[in-house]
PDB file of all heavy atoms in Angstrom:
ATOM      1  N   ASP Y 906     117.949  98.541 113.818  1.00  0.00           N
ATOM      2  CA  ASP Y 906     116.580  98.037 113.879  1.00  0.00           C
ATOM      3  C   ASP Y 906     115.977  98.452 115.221  1.00  0.00           C
ATOM      4  O   ASP Y 906     116.305  97.895 116.270  1.00  0.00           O
ATOM      5  CB  ASP Y 906     116.559  96.508 113.715  1.00  0.00           C
ATOM      6  CG  ASP Y 906     115.148  96.008 113.513  1.00  0.00           C
ATOM      7  OD1 ASP Y 906     114.272  96.429 114.279  1.00  0.00           O
ATOM      8  OD2 ASP Y 906     114.935  95.205 112.596  1.00  0.00           O
ATOM      9  N   GLN Y 909     114.043  95.700 117.163  1.00  0.00           N
ATOM     10  CA  GLN Y 909     114.902  94.702 117.821  1.00  0.00           C
ATOM     11  C   GLN Y 909     115.504  95.296 119.104  1.00  0.00           C
ATOM     12  O   GLN Y 909     115.577  94.624 120.127  1.00  0.00           O
ATOM     13  CB  GLN Y 909     116.011  94.242 116.874  1.00  0.00           C
ATOM     14  CG  GLN Y 909     115.512  93.378 115.733  1.00  0.00           C
ATOM     15  CD  GLN Y 909     116.635  92.847 114.848  1.00  0.00           C
ATOM     16  OE1 GLN Y 909     117.792  93.209 115.006  1.00  0.00           O
ATOM     17  NE2 GLN Y 909     116.282  92.001 113.907  1.00  0.00           N
ATOM     18  N   GLY Y 927     107.571  87.406 111.662  1.00  0.00           N
ATOM     19  CA  GLY Y 927     107.560  86.422 110.580  1.00  0.00           C
ATOM     20  C   GLY Y 927     108.941  85.836 110.363  1.00  0.00           C
ATOM     21  O   GLY Y 927     109.882  86.134 111.121  1.00  0.00           O
ATOM     22  N   PRO Y 928     109.097  85.015 109.315  1.00  0.00           N
ATOM     23  CA  PRO Y 928     110.381  84.364 109.076  1.00  0.00           C
ATOM     24  C   PRO Y 928     111.497  85.382 108.805  1.00  0.00           C
ATOM     25  O   PRO Y 928     111.286  86.340 108.076  1.00  0.00           O
ATOM     26  CB  PRO Y 928     110.119  83.501 107.836  1.00  0.00           C
ATOM     27  CG  PRO Y 928     108.824  83.949 107.277  1.00  0.00           C
ATOM     28  CD  PRO Y 928     108.063  84.615 108.356  1.00  0.00           C
ATOM     29  N   GLY Y 929     112.633  85.147 109.444  1.00  0.00           N
ATOM     30  CA  GLY Y 929     113.808  85.975 109.173  1.00  0.00           C
ATOM     31  C   GLY Y 929     113.731  87.399 109.680  1.00  0.00           C
ATOM     32  O   GLY Y 929     114.474  88.271 109.235  1.00  0.00           O
ATOM     33  N   THR Y 930     112.846  87.689 110.651  1.00  0.00           N
ATOM     34  CA  THR Y 930     112.759  89.057 111.172  1.00  0.00           C
ATOM     35  C   THR Y 930     113.753  89.290 112.315  1.00  0.00           C
ATOM     36  O   THR Y 930     113.777  90.365 112.903  1.00  0.00           O
ATOM     37  CB  THR Y 930     111.324  89.385 111.666  1.00  0.00           C
ATOM     38  OG1 THR Y 930     110.868  88.297 112.481  1.00  0.00           O
ATOM     39  CG2 THR Y 930     110.369  89.588 110.513  1.00  0.00           C
ATOM     40  N   GLY Y 931     114.532  88.267 112.620  1.00  0.00           N
ATOM     41  CA  GLY Y 931     115.600  88.451 113.602  1.00  0.00           C
ATOM     42  C   GLY Y 931     115.224  88.086 115.028  1.00  0.00           C
ATOM     43  O   GLY Y 931     115.822  88.592 115.972  1.00  0.00           O
ATOM     44  N   LYS Y 932     114.275  87.179 115.195  1.00  0.00           N
ATOM     45  CA  LYS Y 932     113.877  86.790 116.558  1.00  0.00           C
ATOM     46  C   LYS Y 932     115.070  86.156 117.290  1.00  0.00           C
ATOM     47  O   LYS Y 932     115.379  86.507 118.420  1.00  0.00           O
ATOM     48  CB  LYS Y 932     112.690  85.799 116.518  1.00  0.00           C
ATOM     49  CG  LYS Y 932     111.449  86.383 115.864  1.00  0.00           C
ATOM     50  CD  LYS Y 932     110.309  85.398 115.799  1.00  0.00           C
ATOM     51  CE  LYS Y 932     110.503  84.254 114.822  1.00  0.00           C
ATOM     52  NZ  LYS Y 932     110.575  84.624 113.414  1.00  0.00           N
ATOM     53  N   THR Y 933     115.739  85.204 116.597  1.00  0.00           N
ATOM     54  CA  THR Y 933     116.860  84.528 117.258  1.00  0.00           C
ATOM     55  C   THR Y 933     118.024  85.486 117.460  1.00  0.00           C
ATOM     56  O   THR Y 933     118.643  85.502 118.533  1.00  0.00           O
ATOM     57  CB  THR Y 933     117.335  83.324 116.421  1.00  0.00           C
ATOM     58  OG1 THR Y 933     116.207  82.706 115.834  1.00  0.00           O
ATOM     59  CG2 THR Y 933     118.092  82.331 117.254  1.00  0.00           C
ATOM     60  N   SER Y 934     118.317  86.307 116.428  1.00  0.00           N
ATOM     61  CA  SER Y 934     119.433  87.263 116.566  1.00  0.00           C
ATOM     62  C   SER Y 934     119.171  88.181 117.747  1.00  0.00           C
ATOM     63  O   SER Y 934     120.083  88.511 118.505  1.00  0.00           O
ATOM     64  CB  SER Y 934     119.555  88.133 115.313  1.00  0.00           C
ATOM     65  OG  SER Y 934     119.533  87.341 114.178  1.00  0.00           O
ATOM     66  N   ARG Y 964     116.595  73.434 115.583  1.00  0.00           N
ATOM     67  CA  ARG Y 964     116.732  74.647 114.751  1.00  0.00           C
ATOM     68  C   ARG Y 964     117.131  75.846 115.596  1.00  0.00           C
ATOM     69  O   ARG Y 964     117.926  76.687 115.176  1.00  0.00           O
ATOM     70  CB  ARG Y 964     115.410  74.948 114.046  1.00  0.00           C
ATOM     71  CG  ARG Y 964     115.342  74.342 112.658  1.00  0.00           C
ATOM     72  CD  ARG Y 964     114.230  74.968 111.875  1.00  0.00           C
ATOM     73  NE  ARG Y 964     114.397  76.391 111.735  1.00  0.00           N
ATOM     74  CZ  ARG Y 964     113.419  77.289 111.850  1.00  0.00           C
ATOM     75  NH1 ARG Y 964     112.212  76.899 112.132  1.00  0.00           N
ATOM     76  NH2 ARG Y 964     113.652  78.559 111.685  1.00  0.00           N
ATOM     77  N   GLN Y 975     128.573  86.448 115.294  1.00  0.00           N
ATOM     78  CA  GLN Y 975     128.379  87.774 114.677  1.00  0.00           C
ATOM     79  C   GLN Y 975     128.392  88.910 115.707  1.00  0.00           C
ATOM     80  O   GLN Y 975     128.434  90.078 115.351  1.00  0.00           O
ATOM     81  CB  GLN Y 975     127.035  87.810 113.950  1.00  0.00           C
ATOM     82  CG  GLN Y 975     126.936  86.840 112.794  1.00  0.00           C
ATOM     83  CD  GLN Y 975     125.525  86.809 112.218  1.00  0.00           C
ATOM     84  OE1 GLN Y 975     124.727  87.710 112.441  1.00  0.00           O
ATOM     85  NE2 GLN Y 975     125.216  85.752 111.479  1.00  0.00           N
ATOM     86  N   TYR Y1088     114.863  90.207 107.346  1.00  0.00           N
ATOM     87  CA  TYR Y1088     116.254  90.272 106.873  1.00  0.00           C
ATOM     88  C   TYR Y1088     116.559  89.119 105.936  1.00  0.00           C
ATOM     89  O   TYR Y1088     117.624  89.046 105.371  1.00  0.00           O
ATOM     90  CB  TYR Y1088     117.231  90.274 108.064  1.00  0.00           C
ATOM     91  CG  TYR Y1088     117.146  91.554 108.840  1.00  0.00           C
ATOM     92  CD1 TYR Y1088     116.283  91.680 109.906  1.00  0.00           C
ATOM     93  CD2 TYR Y1088     117.909  92.658 108.463  1.00  0.00           C
ATOM     94  CE1 TYR Y1088     116.180  92.872 110.603  1.00  0.00           C
ATOM     95  CE2 TYR Y1088     117.818  93.851 109.156  1.00  0.00           C
ATOM     96  CZ  TYR Y1088     116.942  93.949 110.225  1.00  0.00           C
ATOM     97  OH  TYR Y1088     116.844  95.140 110.902  1.00  0.00           O
ATOM     98  N   ARG Y1089     115.636  88.186 105.851  1.00  0.00           N
ATOM     99  CA  ARG Y1089     115.854  87.058 104.952  1.00  0.00           C
ATOM    100  C   ARG Y1089     115.397  87.411 103.543  1.00  0.00           C
ATOM    101  O   ARG Y1089     116.036  87.081 102.572  1.00  0.00           O
ATOM    102  CB  ARG Y1089     115.096  85.822 105.449  1.00  0.00           C
ATOM    103  CG  ARG Y1089     115.271  84.654 104.500  1.00  0.00           C
ATOM    104  CD  ARG Y1089     114.694  83.394 105.040  1.00  0.00           C
ATOM    105  NE  ARG Y1089     115.191  83.101 106.357  1.00  0.00           N
ATOM    106  CZ  ARG Y1089     114.488  82.460 107.287  1.00  0.00           C
ATOM    107  NH1 ARG Y1089     113.256  82.064 107.023  1.00  0.00           N
ATOM    108  NH2 ARG Y1089     114.991  82.211 108.454  1.00  0.00           N
ATOM    109  N   GLU Y1273     112.085  74.448 108.416  1.00  0.00           N
ATOM    110  CA  GLU Y1273     112.174  75.266 107.204  1.00  0.00           C
ATOM    111  C   GLU Y1273     112.988  74.502 106.181  1.00  0.00           C
ATOM    112  O   GLU Y1273     113.849  73.694 106.547  1.00  0.00           O
ATOM    113  CB  GLU Y1273     112.852  76.606 107.498  1.00  0.00           C
ATOM    114  CG  GLU Y1273     111.945  77.573 108.225  1.00  0.00           C
ATOM    115  CD  GLU Y1273     112.638  78.871 108.597  1.00  0.00           C
ATOM    116  OE1 GLU Y1273     113.893  78.921 108.562  1.00  0.00           O
ATOM    117  OE2 GLU Y1273     111.943  79.817 108.937  1.00  0.00           O
TER     118      GLU Y1273
HETATM  119  N1  ATP O1571     119.328  93.886 112.626  1.00  0.00           N
HETATM  120  C1  ATP O1571     119.816  93.050 111.694  1.00  0.00           C
HETATM  121  N2  ATP O1571     120.648  93.530 110.747  1.00  0.00           N
HETATM  122  C2  ATP O1571     121.145  92.721 109.777  1.00  0.00           C
HETATM  123  N3  ATP O1571     120.874  91.387 109.670  1.00  0.00           N
HETATM  124  C3  ATP O1571     120.040  90.858 110.582  1.00  0.00           C
HETATM  125  C4  ATP O1571     119.468  91.644 111.634  1.00  0.00           C
HETATM  126  N4  ATP O1571     118.667  90.824 112.375  1.00  0.00           N
HETATM  127  C5  ATP O1571     118.754  89.596 111.832  1.00  0.00           C
HETATM  128  N5  ATP O1571     119.572  89.614 110.753  1.00  0.00           N
HETATM  129  C6  ATP O1571     119.907  88.462 109.888  1.00  0.00           C
HETATM  130  O1  ATP O1571     118.693  87.928 109.358  1.00  0.00           O
HETATM  131  C7  ATP O1571     118.748  86.516 109.285  1.00  0.00           C
HETATM  132  C8  ATP O1571     117.548  85.922 110.039  1.00  0.00           C
HETATM  133  O2  ATP O1571     117.676  86.234 111.411  1.00  0.00           O
HETATM  134  P1  ATP O1571     117.128  85.257 112.545  1.00  0.00           P
HETATM  135  O3  ATP O1571     117.536  83.853 112.282  1.00  0.00           O
HETATM  136  O4  ATP O1571     117.499  85.853 113.854  1.00  0.00           O
HETATM  137  O5  ATP O1571     115.570  85.449 112.285  1.00  0.00           O
HETATM  138  P2  ATP O1571     114.370  84.578 112.879  1.00  0.00           P
HETATM  139  O6  ATP O1571     113.222  85.501 112.985  1.00  0.00           O
HETATM  140  O7  ATP O1571     114.815  83.914 114.133  1.00  0.00           O
HETATM  141  O8  ATP O1571     114.176  83.537 111.711  1.00  0.00           O
HETATM  142  P3  ATP O1571     113.280  82.194 111.628  1.00  0.00           P
HETATM  143  O9  ATP O1571     112.170  82.543 110.761  1.00  0.00           O
HETATM  144  O10 ATP O1571     114.211  81.215 110.998  1.00  0.00           O
HETATM  145  O11 ATP O1571     112.873  81.828 113.009  1.00  0.00           O
HETATM  146  C9  ATP O1571     120.082  86.102 109.878  1.00  0.00           C
HETATM  147  O12 ATP O1571     120.972  85.869 108.821  1.00  0.00           O
HETATM  148  C10 ATP O1571     120.519  87.312 110.667  1.00  0.00           C
HETATM  149  O13 ATP O1571     121.920  87.422 110.727  1.00  0.00           O
END
Side-chain angles (χ1 to χ4, degrees):
D906 191 313
Q909 289 184 354
T930 47
K932 299 179 290 295
T933 323
S934 311
R964 267 196 59 222
Q975 297 173 18
Y1088 291 91
R1089 178 173 307 149
E1273 285 176 344

